[in-house]
């Protein structure tokens, strides 16, 4: 098949991250990610592009949002891919409910769709009469890994706060539940829990407010590493080195923080491989393989200084 003039511009809120694909005999895969300002998705993009170059048997068009809350940009991306007639769309939804309708439209157009990283909302899918497999990690279990590490470090009764992800994203919901599981398991005292929408600067501001209100905080559970970095910056600005911080994603920026003790732990969900694996699954279906069903689990691992 051949693509013609895929126009995705800054005006639509999208960042075009690879060249326009023009292919007569190779399947074309549209990759829709979240914010490319987030180091996790930068790494994911690099992995997907390297995978496309290594395989050489498909064309990749990758797009990302300018920020974590620009949900309309992802909807526009899917609509553009439908119009252009790509063979497959591989998508990490920024909003688990908002993306159900456009992805249903893509499937109805005969496009293979793989939902990875962030699951679509089960109730929204049921309302639309639409089912789609999920390829991704156990976000609740992973958050509990990090939360348990914090609980073991601090002990029963320790005072903690949670910095939540985007309330509209299923992985944010699941990570919050995982942190709450650890709070209950270790009988921690949860002083506050607020969203910072996955963003570093917002997390810095949110946690600074928490710290002013609760100077006796002993631990912080951040739903991703970008927000954990914002928390660490706030602690450094306040001259505090007595508060433990855990995150999720294992982005490169947190490696030195874990090594020198500014962070206690994070959870690796192997983001550089995640999109590549989802693309492979989409290509298998395109080649006549069975449709994906249910939850295709991907790996997670707790990362500490040890």
């Amino acid at each position: 098949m051949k693509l013609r003039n895929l126009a995705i511009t800054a005006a639509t809120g999208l960042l075009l991250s690879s060249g326009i694909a023009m292919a007569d005999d190779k399947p074309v895969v549209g990759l829709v990610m979240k914010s490319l300002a987030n180091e996790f998705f930068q790494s994911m993009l690099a992995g997907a592009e390297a995978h496309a170059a290594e395989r050489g048997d498909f064309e990749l068009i990758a797009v990302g949002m300018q920020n974590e809350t620009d949900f309309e940009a992802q909807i526009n991306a899917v609509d553009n891919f439908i119009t252009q007639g790509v063979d497959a769309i591989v998508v990490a939804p920024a909003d688990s409910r908002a993306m159900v309708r456009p992805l249903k439209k893509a499937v109805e157009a005969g496009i293979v769709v793989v939902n990875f990283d962030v699951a679509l909302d089960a109730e929204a899918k049921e309302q639309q009469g639409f089912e789609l497999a999920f390829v991704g990690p156990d976000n609740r279990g992973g958050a509990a890994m990090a939360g348990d590490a914090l609980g073991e470090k601090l002990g029963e009764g320790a005072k903690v706060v949670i910095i939540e992800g985007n309330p509209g994203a299923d992985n944010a919901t699941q990570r919050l539940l995982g942190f709450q599981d650890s709070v209950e398991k270790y009988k921690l005292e949860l002083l506050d829990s607020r969203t910072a929408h996955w963003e570093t600067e917002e997390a810095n501001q949110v946690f600074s407010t928490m710290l002013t209100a609760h100077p006796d905080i002993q631990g912080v559970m951040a739903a991703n590493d970008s927000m954990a970095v914002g928390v660490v910056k706030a602690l450094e600005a306040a001259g505090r080195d007595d508060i433990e911080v855990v995150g999720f994603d294992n982005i490169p920026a947190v490696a030195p923080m874990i090594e020198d003790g500014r962070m206690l732990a994070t959870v690796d969900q192997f983001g550089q491989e995640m999109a590549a694996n989802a693309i492979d699954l989409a290509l298998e279906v395109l080649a006549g393989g069975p449709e994906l069903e249910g939850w295709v689990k991907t790996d997670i691992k707790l990362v500490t200084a040890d």
Side-chain angles (χ1 to χ4, degrees), residues 128-285:
Q128 290 291 322
F130 175 56
E131 189 50 61
L132 193 66
F134 170 58
V135 179
D138 181 352
N139 282 286
R140 183 171 184 167
M145 284 181 178
D148 286 358
L150 186 65
E152 289 172 11
K153 176 74 172 181
L154 297 178
E156 183 176 328
K159 298 178 179 181
V160 301
V161 296
I162 297 173
I163 309 295
E164 304 171 27
N166 191 322
D170 180 77
N171 61 339
T173 300
Q174 294 303 313
R175 291 178 194 180
L176 175 59
L177 289 172
F179 288 150
Q180 291 171 340
D181 290 342
S182 297
V183 168
E184 182 177 354
K185 178 179 178 180
Y186 287 90
K187 297 180 173 59
L188 305 174
E189 182 180 350
L190 182 61
L191 300 176
D192 203 351
S193 182
R194 304 186 198 181
T195 182
H197 300 96
W198 305 122
E199 301 281 4
T200 299
E201 291 309 314
E202 185 173 352
N204 183 290
Q205 296 167 8
V206 168
F207 178 70
S208 294
T209 300
M210 288 180 171
L211 188 58
T212 299
H214 305 285
D216 54 347
I217 290 171
Q218 296 170 268
V220 185
M221 303 177 189
N224 77 347
D225 283 343
S226 292
M227 296 190 298
V229 169
V231 170
V232 170
K233 288 181 178 179
L235 288 172
E236 291 173 343
R240 297 286 297 270
D241 60 2
D242 58 332
I243 298 176
E244 301 289 350
V245 181
V246 298
F248 200 118
D249 282 344
N250 196 31
I251 63 174
V254 304
M257 296 180 181
I258 290 175
E259 289 176 7
D260 65 21
R262 285 176 291 167
M263 281 184 62
L264 176 65
T266 186
V267 176
D268 196 345
Q269 59 173 329
F270 306 98
Q272 194 159 48
E273 302 167 14
M274 193 182 295
N277 292 337
I279 290 168
D280 284 346
L281 291 170
L283 292 172
E284 288 175 14
V285 174

Side-chain angles (χ1 to χ4, degrees), residues 69-132:
T69 57
D70 188 8
F71 314 131
E72 194 67 29
Q74 285 199 329
I75 295 172
N76 290 339
V78 172
D79 286 343
N80 271 302
F81 285 148
I82 293 170
T83 299
Q84 297 301 321
V86 301
D87 298 286
I89 296 173
V90 178
V91 56
D95 187 293
S96 295
R97 297 184 65 86
M99 291 304 294
V100 171
R101 189 184 296 272
L103 292 178
K104 179 184 179 183
K105 181 180 174 183
V107 170
E108 290 172 343
I111 297 170
V112 171
V113 175
V114 174
N115 167 210
F116 79 107
D117 184 40
V118 181
L120 294 174
D121 181 79
E123 183 180 348
K125 287 192 294 182
E126 184 177 353
Q127 289 173 351
Q128 290 291 322
F130 175 56
E131 189 50 61
L132 193 66

